[in-house]
Amino acid sequence: MTTYSLPPKPQRSLMKRIKRISILLAVIAVYIWTFLGIDVDWGRAAERAINNFHRVIPKLFHPNWEATGEVAGKMFETITIAFAGSFMAAILAIPLGFLAAQNMSRSRLLTAAGKWILSAIRAFPDIILAILFVVAVGPNAFAGVLAIAIGSTGMLGKLYSEVVESIDMSIVEAMEANGANKVQMLFYGVMPQIIPEFLSYAIYRFEIDIRASSILGIVGAGGIGTMIIFAANNRNWNEMGLILLAIIIVVTVIDSISARIRRKIV
C-alpha cells in the first residue's frame, strides 16, 4: 500500500516567515536604539578623524628609532608581568577548578560556591583590578602581576572545571573498586587526563595576558602601557608608532610559538 505525505500547511510556513521577520526587525531596532542612545555627533567625529588622519597617522609610520632601547626594556617588563601573572593564575585556578567541577564533589553547595567565586572574579576587568592593586601596593610592576593573576584565575578556573567534568570517570571508578585511595585516584586516574589540556589553556591565557599587560601601565601597573600614556599625553606620535610596532611584533611571535606548543601538547 502506497502512502503519501501531506505537504506542509501554508499557515505554518507563514508563521515561520513572520517569526523570522519579527526577529530581524527586533535586532535592527536594538541597533538603532543603541546608536541613538550613545549620542554621537557623526559629522564632528568624521571631521576629527580626517584631521587626525593627516596629522597623526603619517607619524605613526615613521617610528622614533632612538627610543628602541627604552621600548625594548618596557616590552620585556610587559612580558615578565604577563608570564608571572599567568603562572600564578595557572596554579591558583587548579583548586578552584576542582571545587567548581560537579563530578569532583558530592556537595552541591561546594560546587555552587566554586562556580560563584569564579564568576565573581571574572566580573572585574583587568584594568579595574590594576587600579585596585596600584592603590594597594603602589604604582609598580607587582600591581600588574597581581591584576593579571587574579583576572586570569577566573577564566582558567572555569576552563579547568569544564576539563575536569569531561574526564572519563569509569577509570576513576575502576580504581576505586580495586581499593585505590583518593590520592592514588587523583594522581593516576584524574591528572593524566587533564594535564595536557590544563597546560594548553594556561599557555593560551598567557597569549591573552600579553595583550592585557600592554595597557595596565596606563594606570601605573608597569609595562609598556606607561610609555603609551606618556607618548599620548606629549603627542609624541613617532614614539607611539615604535611602541605599537613592538607590541605587534611581540604578540605575533608569542602567538606563533605558543600555538605550536599547544598543538604538540594536545
Side-chain angles (χ1 to χ4, degrees), residues 24-71:
L24 178 61
L25 293 175
V27 172
I28 293 173
V30 169
Y31 275 101
I32 293 174
W33 173 76
T34 301
F35 281 106
L36 292 176
I38 58 178
D39 192 22
V40 176
D41 188 346
W42 295 104
R44 183 179 179 185
E47 181 182 354
R48 294 191 64 180
I50 294 172
N51 293 334
N52 289 332
F53 181 85
H54 294 290
R55 185 167 54 89
V56 176
I57 302 301
K59 293 182 179 180
L60 294 177
F61 286 95
H62 292 82
N64 179 17
W65 300 108
E66 295 179 359
T68 301
E70 186 179 1
V71 171

Side-chain angles (χ1 to χ4, degrees), residues 1-264:
M1 182 176 178
T2 305
T3 58
Y4 299 95
S5 59
L6 296 175
K9 294 182 180 180
Q11 291 184 351
R12 184 177 298 178
S13 178
L14 179 62
M15 290 300 295
K16 287 184 178 180
R17 290 182 180 179
I18 293 175
K19 184 178 180 180
R20 291 174 182 173
I21 293 173
S22 300
I23 294 173
L24 178 61
L25 293 175
V27 172
I28 293 173
V30 169
Y31 275 101
I32 293 174
W33 173 76
T34 301
F35 281 106
L36 292 176
I38 58 178
D39 192 22
V40 176
D41 188 346
W42 295 104
R44 183 179 179 185
E47 181 182 354
R48 294 191 64 180
I50 294 172
N51 293 334
N52 289 332
F53 181 85
H54 294 290
R55 185 167 54 89
V56 176
I57 302 301
K59 293 182 179 180
L60 294 177
F61 286 95
H62 292 82
N64 179 17
W65 300 108
E66 295 179 359
T68 301
E70 186 179 1
V71 171
K74 286 295 183 180
M75 199 68 235
F76 179 75
E77 185 180 50
T78 297
I79 296 172
T80 57
I81 290 172
F83 179 79
S86 300
F87 183 74
M88 291 175 62
I91 296 174
L92 294 174
I94 293 175
L96 291 174
F98 275 93
L99 182 64
Q102 296 180 354
N103 58 342
M104 288 292 110
S105 176
R106 296 178 181 178
S107 173
R108 293 184 178 180
L109 183 62
L110 289 177
T111 301
K115 291 183 180 295
W116 183 87
I117 292 172
L118 293 174
S119 297
I121 294 173
R122 293 198 307 275
F124 293 94
D126 292 338
I127 195 72
I128 300 299
L129 292 172
I131 293 172
L132 295 176
F133 284 118
V134 165
V135 174
V137 302
N140 50 51
F142 184 55
V145 172
L146 293 177
I148 292 293
I150 300 302
S152 300
T153 299
M155 174 186 170
L156 286 178
K158 178 176 174 56
L159 294 174
Y160 285 1
S161 67
E162 293 176 353
V163 171
V164 174
E165 288 176 347
S166 65
I167 66 173
D168 186 1
M169 289 299 294
S170 61
I171 298 175
V172 180
E173 293 170 357
M175 293 182 64
E176 186 178 12
N178 283 278
N181 57 40
K182 291 185 177 181
V183 175
Q184 291 173 328
M185 288 188 290
L186 175 64
F187 281 96
Y188 297 103
V190 177
M191 297 300 289
Q193 298 187 66
I194 64 176
I195 285 179
E197 292 193 62
F198 272 27
L199 291 175
S200 176
Y201 282 132
I203 295 171
Y204 176 65
R205 183 64 204 189
F206 172 62
E207 297 176 23
I208 298 174
D209 289 339
I210 287 289
R211 301 178 183 88
S213 59
S214 298
I215 62 170
L216 296 185
I218 294 175
V219 295
I224 197 70
T226 305
M227 291 192 68
I228 291 176
I229 193 64
F230 284 149
N233 290 337
N234 295 327
R235 302 295 189 269
N236 192 347
W237 305 119
N238 299 100
E239 185 174 302
M240 181 71 78
L242 181 62
I243 294 170
L244 295 178
L245 179 62
I247 293 173
I248 292 171
I249 292 174
V250 169
V251 169
T252 302
V253 171
I254 290 178
D255 282 359
S256 177
I257 295 174
S258 63
R260 293 182 181 181
I261 295 174
R262 283 189 285 111
R263 281 197 298 268
K264 291 183 178 180

